[in-house]
Amino acid sequence: PTGGRWSWILGGYFQRNEIDVRIFETAAGFPTDILPQNRRTTTGWFAQSNLNLTERLELQTGARYSTYKVTGRGNVLIGNGIPGFPPGGLPVADLAGSHDDDRVTGKVALNWRPTDRQLLYAFVAKGYKPGGFNSAVSGFAPETVINYELGWKATAADNRVRWQLAAFYNDYSDFQFDVLEPTTGQPGIRNVANGTIQGAEAQVEARFGGLRFDASAAYVDSKLDGLGFVNVRQLPPGTLGAQCPPGVPSMPPLCFDYGPFAMTTGGGPDLYSPKWTWNAGVEYRLPLAGGALTPRLNYSWIGSRYTYIGYSPLTDLLASYGLWSALLGWERDAWLVQAYGRNLADKDYVSGQASASQNEFYGAPREYGLRIRYAF
């Protein structure tokens, strides 16, 4: 029902995934085959209720019961087709395992409209990410988060100005993090004990005649607990293999001793999470020859952020950067023509990083382009 003071919905969900992965690596001409096969079953039963306590105050409540089960098998094999190795390759890591869990999650929210042009809201919600396994002897627990948020949305000046403000606090338990799993020598997942992500964000947009401007800003303060892990940015290149048994020296790619490369971090911010980001833009629409010409100028800025849990300021930290862009658009009837430029200052900046001083991903240089659109 949706027509009265009270509306609600009930539902159920079922999903079955069969995931067969075939990865064939030939680093330095030596074959490594990674062949996991997983079967996953996910179910969910949910309900939500929206109740208008008054004409301007709404209460939302919801709950969900989720189940998750996964089983897997497979191996990491090396030397397929190389003389001296078994046909099909030599198994060096077992990718088999199983895991199942379930959780109850939910949300409670209040939405209040003190006037027709304002909305204030507050909610608390609990989220859940299932656990799993990396190998037959390595698994990880489910991740849960409780999210608290307050917000205000409003318009003013006959709808010529609108804005929204929000503040949030996310409290994570068993935060799941991507690491190298020594038992397989492959990427895996490990639980960080706890983590918090909190902050605030704001957006504003205004239009007065042909003049329009918009801006947004966000502040995020994140903190993850310490974690023991293998520092992959210090490992030698190539296929290394799974962890060697005690007393057995490293013999890549048969096995490798990851012990000298293990470390424990004291914690730090979430990765790729800058404390500050903001952008602003301005444009002016000029009537012209039965249509309109609109020039626009925009600037965006993103703060420094860490790319790896080693938290080295020398190798794991990306510098902040700001970018200018511009656009000139002409529209008439069904036609729209836009000339644009991005990174107008042709700034060199690194947007991502896969390893220390190697495999850095640079942002695009200065770009110019033209878009033509016809609506019919």
Side-chain angles (χ1 to χ4, degrees):
T2 58
R5 290 182 55 198
W6 184 42
S7 62
W8 51 267
I9 183 171
L10 300 174
Y13 174 85
F14 175 89
Q15 180 170 316
R16 174 74 170 175
N17 296 91
E18 298 184 1
I19 305 170
D20 298 334
V21 179
R22 297 289 182 267
I23 300 176
F24 303 102
E25 295 183 352
T26 56
F30 188 85
T32 300
D33 301 341
I34 307 168
L35 310 174
Q37 294 177 286
N38 291 335
R39 302 294 180 263
R40 300 176 182 174
T41 302
T42 306
T43 67
W45 304 96
F46 58 88
Q48 178 167 318
S49 167
N50 296 353
L51 176 62
N52 293 321
L53 301 175
T54 70
E55 288 187 357
R56 296 192 176 275
L57 183 63
E58 179 189 49
L59 172 66
Q60 293 182 339
T61 57
R64 177 186 176 109
Y65 174 65
S66 303
T67 70
Y68 176 78
K69 182 177 181 179
V70 58
T71 60
R73 58 190 177 92
N75 297 97
V76 178
L77 305 112
I78 62 172
N80 184 14
I82 302 295
F85 286 86
L90 175 68
V92 294
D94 185 0
L95 303 179
S98 64
H99 176 87
D100 64 90
D101 58 51
D102 60 274
R103 287 291 187 280
V104 175
T105 56
K107 176 181 179 180
V108 177
L110 278 174
N111 298 321
W112 179 42
R113 295 183 178 273
T115 69
D116 292 339
R117 295 181 178 178
Q118 294 189 72
L119 168 66
L120 286 87
Y121 68 89
F123 72 78
V124 57
K126 183 178 182 180
Y128 150 73
K129 184 188 294 185
F133 62 89
N134 301 311
S135 70
V137 295
S138 173
F140 53 94
E143 170 187 301
T144 58
V145 59
I146 299 179
N147 177 30
Y148 307 87
E149 184 167 332
L150 299 169
W152 177 33
K153 301 181 180 182
T155 64
D158 293 329
N159 291 325
R160 288 192 293 267
V161 180
R162 66 178 63 182
W163 66 86
Q164 58 185 37
L165 307 173
F168 55 89
Y169 180 86
N170 295 330
D171 186 7
Y172 286 86
S173 297
D174 294 318
F175 190 91
Q176 294 174 4
F177 212 92
D178 295 335
V179 294
L180 182 137
E181 175 51 52
T183 61
T184 64
Q186 302 298 319
I189 296 176
R190 188 165 299 176
N191 293 105
V192 179
N194 296 292
T196 58
I197 300 176
Q198 58 186 330
E201 55 189 11
Q203 294 178 300
V204 62
E205 178 183 351
R207 185 186 297 274
F208 298 95
L211 178 65
R212 175 181 178 270
F213 71 87
D214 54 87
S216 65
Y219 172 79
V220 176
D221 179 29
S222 59
K223 172 65 176 178
L224 302 182
D225 283 353
L227 175 70
F229 66 101
V230 174
N231 192 330
V232 298
R233 295 189 171 182
Q234 296 178 357
L235 292 175
T239 301
L240 301 179
Q243 173 65 43
C244 294
V248 177
S250 294
M251 296 181 294
L254 297 175
C255 72
F256 186 79
D257 182 12
Y258 292 96
F261 303 93
M263 64 176 293
T264 299
T265 176
D270 195 11
L271 302 188
Y272 290 98
S273 179
K275 279 190 176 293
W276 287 100
T277 56
W278 62 273
N279 69 78
V282 60
E283 63 183 57
Y284 193 82
R285 191 174 188 272
L286 298 162
L288 181 67
L293 186 69
T294 305
R296 175 179 174 84
L297 184 65
N298 193 85
Y299 182 79
S300 61
W301 189 87
I302 182 169
S304 61
R305 59 250 186 255
Y306 282 99
T307 64
Y308 191 60
I309 52 177
Y311 296 118
S312 168
L314 299 178
T315 60
D316 304 333
L317 184 66
L318 298 184
S320 61
Y321 62 86
L323 301 176
W324 287 97
S325 62
L327 182 144
L328 180 63
W330 174 77
E331 56 183 303
R332 182 176 180 180
D333 299 327
W335 288 95
L336 174 65
V337 180
Q338 292 180 326
Y340 65 88
R342 303 192 185 104
N343 190 6
L344 296 180
D346 200 22
K347 184 178 183 61
D348 292 330
Y349 65 98
V350 179
S351 60
Q353 194 178 51
S355 61
S357 71
Q358 301 179 35
N359 297 331
E360 291 188 331
F361 310 120
Y362 278 77
R366 183 189 293 123
E367 294 179 285
Y368 298 109
L370 185 70
R371 301 188 192 99
I372 301 176
R373 188 182 73 188
Y374 179 77
F376 57 91

